[in-house]
Amino acid sequence: MADTPARIVVTRRMPPAVEERLAASGLDVAFNEDDRLFTRADTIRALQEADGILLAVGDPLDGPLLDAEGRRRTQIIANFGVGVNHIDLDAARDRGVIVTNTPGVLTDATADTAMMLILQATRRASEMEMQLRRGEWGGFSPTAQLGMSVQGKTLGVIGMGRIGAATARRAVLGFGMRAIYFNRSAVGPWDLPAEARPSIEAVMEEADVVTLHAPGGGANRGLISAERIARMKPTAYLVNTARGDVIDETALVAALVAGRIAGAGLDVFAHEPEVPAELVALANVTLLPHIGSATLETRTAMGMLAADNLIAHFRGEPLPSRVV
Ligand code: 8YV
C-alpha cells in the first residue's frame, strides 16, 4: 500500500466483523456510526474526499453526482449488494470509476427469501397471521383459510442466474414443484429438472407461481408489464425478490385489486421505502421490507467481499468482483 493510506468512506453501518476488518486493513476508513442515510451533499463530499467508497442500495449514484462538482477524488465504488441498478454504470465507465459488487455470497439467503414468499403467498400466511393478531380467528375450520399446495405445481423462473437457479432447486428438490424458466441467454445444463421456455410470455402463461430474478434498471424496467401480468393464470401468484422496478408496479396493484391473479409475495418495491397504500391494504399479498439477504452471516459475507474489493484495489491486486 502507498505511504499515505487511501481514504475510504463507508456510507452505512456494517456488520461488526466487517468494520473490524476494514479498521485493521491499513486503509484510512471513515465509518457511519449512526447509520444516517447520506444526502446528495454528503455523497458529493465523500466523492471529493475519499479514494474509495463502500455504499449500498439506498445510495443512488448518477453521472452529475459522480462528477462531484468537478472535484472527484474517488477511484472505486464498492457496492454492498449484487444489484447495481442504483449506480449509473455507463456514467462510471465513461469517467473511469471502478464499480464492484458482491455476487455469490447472497445467493442462498435470497433464494430462501423467494421460497419463503412462495410459501407465504400460496398458504396465505400474512393474511392468516393478521387474522390471528387481530383476534379474528374463530377456530379450526375444514373449509376456511385454504391456500394452494405447491407440490406438482409449476414454478416459472424469470432470470435463471445464480439466485433463480437456487430458488428452482429449493422448489423442485425440496417442495416437489416442477420448474420452467426464461433466461435472456442460453444457460444450463442443470443438476435438476428445469425446462427452458422461449419467452417471458410462455412462462407467465404456464406457471402457477412466477418468481422474478432478473436485474433491475435499464431495459428491465417494467419488464413484467400489464400485458405480461395479464397472461398469468387467475389462480397464479407473483413473487419478486429482485428489484421493484422489474414489475410495472401500478399494473400489478391493479391486477391484485381486481383479483385478476391470486396473490403476490414482494420483498422489493419500485420506490423503496415507499410501498403503495393499495398493496398494504390488500389481504392477498405478503410484503417484506427488502430482507432478501438479511442474515448476519450473509450481510457479513457481503461486507467482507466489498472490503476485499477495496483492499485489492489499493494493493494493486486483481479485483474479486468487478462490474465496471
Ligand atoms: C442487498 C440486494 O442487501 O444484493 C442485492 O442486490 O438486493 C440486497 O440483498 C441490498 O441491495 C443492499 O445493498
Side-chain angles (χ1 to χ4, degrees), residues 55-58 79-84 86 102 106 110 241-243 268 290-294 299 302:
L55 51 66
V57 73
N79 183 53
F80 178 88
V82 68
V84 284
H86 53 295
T102 63
L106 44 70
T110 309
T241 52
R243 280 293 178 270
V268 286
H290 199 145
I291 58 162
S293 65
R299 291 284 168 85
M302 290 163 67

Side-chain angles (χ1 to χ4, degrees), residues 8 43 52 58 61 76 83 113 157 160 163 168 171 191 207 217 221 224 235 241 259-260 266 293:
I8 307 297
T43 305
L61 261 193
I76 177 168
T113 304
V157 181
M160 194 71 163
I163 300 173
D191 55 354
R221 208 165 282 134
I224 305 303
T235 50
T241 52
R260 288 209 315 277
L266 307 173
S293 65

Side-chain angles (χ1 to χ4, degrees), residues 107-108 111 115 155 157 160-177 179 189-194:
T107 302
D108 284 327
M115 198 63 230
L155 180 70
V157 181
M160 194 71 163
R162 288 188 193 84
I163 300 173
T167 304
R169 190 166 294 117
R170 282 158 173 72
V172 171
L173 303 180
F175 292 89
M177 297 186 81
W190 303 105
D191 55 354
L192 73 154

Side-chain angles (χ1 to χ4, degrees), residues 226 229-230 232 249-263 282 284:
I229 293 169
M232 292 175 70
E249 200 170 69
T250 309
L252 175 63
V253 169
L256 287 164
V257 169
R260 288 209 315 277
I261 61 172
L282 278 175
N284 59 342

Side-chain angles (χ1 to χ4, degrees), residues 277-303:
E278 297 98 316
L279 285 181
V280 174
L282 278 175
N284 59 342
V285 293
T286 294
L287 306 172
L288 298 177
H290 199 145
I291 58 162
S293 65
T295 70
L296 177 61
E297 295 85 346
T298 302
R299 291 284 168 85
T300 301
M302 290 163 67

Side-chain angles (χ1 to χ4, degrees), residues 70 100 117 120 127-128 157 161 168 188 222 224 250 318 320:
T100 65
L117 282 172
Q120 283 189 294
E127 182 188 350
M128 294 305 122
V157 181
I224 305 303
T250 309

